[in-house]
Amino acid sequence: MRACAFFATDRCCKETTVVGIWHTFSCLNAAFIAVCLVAVQPVSGESYTLRELVDRAVGRNPQLKAAGADVEIAHALSDQARAARILPKFDLTFAVGPSPEARGDALIGDTDLSSLSLFTRTEATFIQPLFTFGKLAAAQEAARHGIEARAEGLRDSRAKLEAQVAEAYYGLLLANHLWDLATEARTEIGKARDLIEEKLDADEGDYTYTDLFRLDRFVYDVEENANKVAKGRTLLQSLLRKATGLPPDRPLELADDALTPLAIDVEPLGAYLERISDRFDIKQLQAGIRAKDAQVKAIRSDYYPQFFIGGQFKHSYSPNRDDQSSPFAKDDFNFLQAGAIIGFRQSLSFGLTAAKVRKVELERKKLAYLDQLASMGATLEVERIHADLVEAEANLKAARKARRATRRWFIAARDGFNAGLEESGDIIDAVKEYSIIRAKYFNAVYAFNKAWGTLQRATGGSVIQ
């Protein structure tokens, strides 16, 4: 009975498990792997919180940098729209070249090509819009909404990355915990098997080879699932390292010791449905619709005249030529001109303008349809995720109860086995079920945390508490 007592020592009462829930890690899809391929930068070995890992990933992710560049482009377009209000056309030209000598006036003159000098010419022209029937203001409004749309796109990309890092973080916590428990189980079962085999060889105790075969069968389950946990753990560590730029040659230490349920209160479905308007993708669509409205205004202004003031200054001087005092005489090497005018420009391509307006109106209508579709899809998505969260919370409560029940079962089977009242199959079944329930409990914690993060993501919230 010594072997039985050893196999059921108090160490077996710890949170040990032999079942790896591999499908947990399959939730990290290929898209996450693609966006996580960033340059690796060595850092000192230390533990990281979820917030620290997210910050590192955000600072290194090329997709976010590209989205940030889009925002900067939108700001540049807005600057162009503002600059169009003040002297959108203002040109200065300066030239210098050879000038042949010329003496006389428009009636009597003489040119000496053998006597050359240098002339200088300066020209400045400008156009200043006066009244454009809202064209410039609409262009600025469209640019402003363009900034809003791209900024919401940047926030949406960041929220996606945060959710992916959080999912990997919780998955790695689960994998680390299951790995530790599986390692303990392998050690204890290995020692128990060696001791049973020793007693069988010495022909001591009440054991049979059937007991040994049952234990060997159980050892296979332990090894198989421990290998799955090891593979998933390695994958998750690699993903987080690549996403955050951590060195590949050091263990990834997490600040949290174990996977625990998030301390949150699940609100009624209606509370989450009210937050759908906070989603970044919906805000992006709505900003795009406002930008299209402004573009329609800008194009419609082409139906009306565009009033402006224009002016110019021209001066050319050559020292070897006589000034011409007659206003009808022209000398391209020696003159002074300056003046300003008020005018308007009217586009008569009304058919082309109507086609442009129609095109932008249809684009606006398309975005409106997409906005309706996105709102409908978001509602269904929030309802589904909320149901997943409620289910995960219920499963978590049930798993807690089952874990307590199977632990009592295990203790009763262990005590009966030690007293010689139970067979080896009974204690193996108890240990196996206790291990399975503990694995399901930790998987339920993971599912709960993940569902909450997904719901936060679907309602425009943050996945990090």
Side-chain angles (χ1 to χ4, degrees):
M1 300 301 293
R2 289 177 57 194
C4 300
F6 180 82
F7 181 71
T9 56
D10 289 338
R11 292 189 64 184
C12 290
C13 298
K14 296 180 181 179
E15 296 291 323
T16 59
T17 184
V18 294
V19 180
I21 310 299
W22 172 244
H23 68 81
T24 300
F25 311 118
S26 64
C27 298
L28 298 169
N29 53 32
F32 178 41
I33 297 175
V35 301
C36 289
L37 295 178
V38 296
V40 175
Q41 301 177 1
V43 296
S44 58
E46 56 184 280
S47 60
Y48 295 92
T49 63
L50 176 57
R51 166 54 64 187
E52 290 170 341
L53 290 176
V54 166
D55 289 342
R56 291 182 64 89
V58 167
R60 290 161 173 77
N61 187 266
Q63 184 176 0
L64 289 188
K65 292 181 179 180
D70 284 339
V71 175
E72 294 300 321
I73 292 172
H75 279 286
L77 293 174
S78 179
D79 293 340
Q80 291 181 19
R82 285 196 301 270
R85 298 183 69 92
I86 306 297
L87 294 176
K89 180 176 176 57
F90 190 7
D91 299 322
L92 177 64
T93 303
F94 177 80
V96 62
S99 170
E101 184 178 359
R103 302 300 177 182
D105 54 29
L107 297 178
I108 301 174
D110 183 40
T111 301
D112 186 358
L113 297 177
S114 63
S115 178
L116 297 177
S117 183
L118 292 178
F119 80 95
T120 60
R121 180 179 299 168
T122 303
E123 298 183 7
T125 59
F126 73 90
I127 294 179
Q128 172 60 47
L130 295 178
F131 189 73
T132 61
F133 288 91
K135 186 180 186 68
L136 296 179
Q140 283 187 271
E141 182 183 358
R144 185 171 61 254
H145 292 311
I147 293 175
E148 294 176 9
R150 297 193 181 188
E152 294 299 337
L154 174 59
R155 296 187 186 99
D156 189 50
S157 297
R158 174 169 181 151
K160 288 179 181 178
L161 180 61
E162 287 183 356
Q164 290 164 348
V165 173
E167 184 178 340
Y169 185 86
Y170 294 133
L172 184 55
L173 280 175
L174 172 62
N176 287 343
H177 206 51
L178 293 178
W179 174 256
D180 292 340
L181 298 176
T183 300
E184 290 183 15
R186 284 193 299 185
T187 300
E188 296 300 332
I189 292 172
K191 291 180 179 178
R193 187 192 183 286
D194 292 341
L195 191 54
I196 291 176
E197 191 174 32
E198 177 184 341
K199 294 300 181 181
L200 287 173
D201 292 341
D203 198 17
E204 298 178 0
D206 299 328
Y207 306 110
T208 66
Y209 280 99
T210 300
D211 298 322
L212 187 61
F213 297 153
R214 286 180 179 177
L215 192 59
D216 286 340
R217 174 64 183 85
F218 189 34
V219 169
Y220 170 77
D221 290 337
V222 173
E223 294 295 335
E224 180 186 37
N225 291 287
N227 292 335
K228 291 180 180 179
V229 171
K231 182 173 70 172
R233 187 180 182 216
T234 300
L235 174 61
L236 289 168
Q237 288 178 337
S238 177
L239 291 177
L240 282 175
R241 286 193 190 100
K242 287 181 173 63
T244 58
L246 294 174
D249 57 345
R250 298 179 188 174
L252 177 59
E253 299 293 338
L254 304 183
D256 293 317
D257 295 330
L259 180 64
T260 57
L262 294 172
I264 59 170
D265 295 325
V266 179
E267 301 179 63
L269 175 61
Y272 294 101
L273 292 176
E274 292 176 355
R275 301 173 195 164
I276 288 179
S277 59
D278 295 332
R279 287 172 61 115
F280 301 121
D281 54 348
I282 291 181
K283 286 184 177 180
Q284 184 178 16
L285 279 171
Q286 293 173 347
I289 292 173
R290 293 192 293 271
K292 290 298 179 182
D293 289 335
Q295 288 179 17
V296 170
K297 295 178 184 177
I299 298 175
R300 284 185 182 277
S301 67
D302 289 340
Y303 286 124
Y304 308 100
Q306 310 293 304
F307 291 90
F308 65 91
I309 180 172
Q312 68 175 8
F313 170 84
K314 295 184 179 181
H315 177 258
S316 183
Y317 172 72
S318 177
N320 61 346
R321 301 174 73 91
D322 291 337
D323 290 336
Q324 303 299 311
S325 58
S326 172
F328 303 103
K330 179 181 179 182
D331 184 358
D332 291 335
F333 297 92
N334 230 351
F335 65 87
L336 174 63
Q337 297 177 358
I341 61 171
I342 293 178
F344 72 88
R345 181 174 58 230
Q346 173 67 61
S347 173
L348 300 179
S349 302
F350 298 119
L352 180 60
T353 300
K356 291 179 179 179
V357 170
R358 178 62 175 165
K359 174 180 177 293
V360 178
E361 285 179 338
L362 291 174
E363 291 174 348
R364 192 263 185 211
K365 185 179 293 186
K366 176 182 177 181
L367 288 180
Y369 290 146
L370 291 177
D371 180 51
Q372 295 177 15
L373 181 62
S375 297
M376 294 170 55
T379 299
L380 294 175
E381 182 184 13
V382 169
E383 290 178 353
R384 176 184 59 80
I385 299 172
H386 184 267
D388 291 341
L389 181 60
V390 172
E391 178 186 12
E393 185 180 37
N395 290 340
L396 183 58
K397 293 178 180 179
R400 285 196 186 102
K401 295 179 181 178
R403 186 174 61 165
R404 289 193 294 267
T406 53
R407 185 176 186 277
R408 289 193 292 266
W409 174 19
F410 164 71
I411 292 175
R414 179 199 62 184
D415 293 342
F417 190 62
N418 289 340
L421 302 176
E422 301 283 354
E423 297 182 356
S424 60
D426 297 326
I427 187 62
I428 290 176
D429 290 341
V431 172
K432 181 184 296 184
E433 291 303 319
Y434 187 32
S435 300
I436 291 174
I437 288 300
R438 281 178 293 176
K440 288 186 176 182
Y441 167 77
F442 291 117
N443 193 63
V445 174
Y446 173 82
F448 177 76
N449 291 357
K450 178 185 173 183
W452 180 81
T454 305
L455 187 58
Q456 289 293 101
R457 167 81 180 84
T459 54
S462 174
V463 300
I464 303 175
Q465 289 184 305

